[in-house]
Amino acid sequence: MPPDLVTPGAAAHHRALESLYRAAPINLLFPSTLDITGEGLATIRFEVGESAYHAGGAVHGTAYFKMLDDAAFYAANSLVSDRFLLTTAFNLLFTKPLKRGPVFAEGRWVSGRRRVFIAEARLIDANGDEAARGTGTFMRSQIALSTLPGYAR
């Protein structure tokens, strides 16, 4: 189904994934919000601060990975309504140091619909500049989404 055609069932799944994201304890360390804007599309808004800096005074790579992986992951999992996906590989390219402030991670499903999914993401800073991009491979797990705390339809 093209990303711009979302069924009512898909919309309920997307809201449940957004709820699951909010319930993840890791997000206490990375203040952020998730919006699944269509099938295969996810945007995460982050507010990065100095607590995420490395010794050189810019955001550490772990935060880049977290933002990119989450956006790509949720773009891919928006297409799977029964199982939680797992990241099996992620390739990351840093293009600009990030400082404190708002950052957007835009995720987009690229290919795959059965067992393995490929999705990409990019980070956009407050000036509209790309700070990083990445591509991930995700696969279906044995974990049913309906069993996860926070996944509420």
Side-chain angles (χ1 to χ4, degrees):
M1 180 180 301
D4 58 339
L5 300 176
V6 180
T7 64
H13 169 58
H14 299 167
R15 301 302 75 81
L17 286 174
E18 291 166 352
S19 175
L20 181 65
Y21 182 82
R22 286 190 302 273
I26 186 68
N27 291 323
L28 295 173
L29 300 173
F30 297 92
S32 55
T33 59
L34 165 68
D35 292 307
I36 297 177
T37 56
E39 291 197 17
L41 300 171
T43 300
I44 301 180
R45 289 166 180 77
F46 291 85
E47 186 69 35
V48 293
E50 293 179 10
S51 64
Y53 281 15
H54 54 59
V59 173
H60 191 276
T62 56
Y64 284 75
F65 173 76
K66 162 77 166 104
M67 294 184 275
L68 291 168
D69 178 56
D70 282 357
F73 166 86
Y74 279 97
N77 219 147
S78 73
L79 301 170
V80 180
S81 61
D82 62 338
R83 298 284 171 195
F84 187 75
L85 297 181
L86 299 173
T87 304
T88 59
F90 203 89
N91 188 30
L92 172 61
L93 174 65
F94 299 96
T95 54
K96 179 183 176 186
L98 283 172
K99 297 289 188 171
R100 68 179 302 138
V103 179
F104 297 89
E106 301 172 338
R108 182 180 73 86
W109 166 77
V110 175
S111 68
R113 283 213 179 232
R114 291 183 181 248
R115 191 163 178 259
V116 176
F117 297 76
I118 298 171
E120 61 187 16
R122 58 191 207 122
L123 289 183
I124 307 299
D125 69 12
N127 297 320
D129 296 329
E130 182 180 285
R133 64 177 48 232
T135 303
T137 304
F138 308 90
M139 69 184 319
R140 291 176 188 268
S141 73
Q142 296 300 312
I143 303 166
L145 283 168
S146 61
T147 66
L148 296 174
Y151 184 82
R153 283 187 179 224

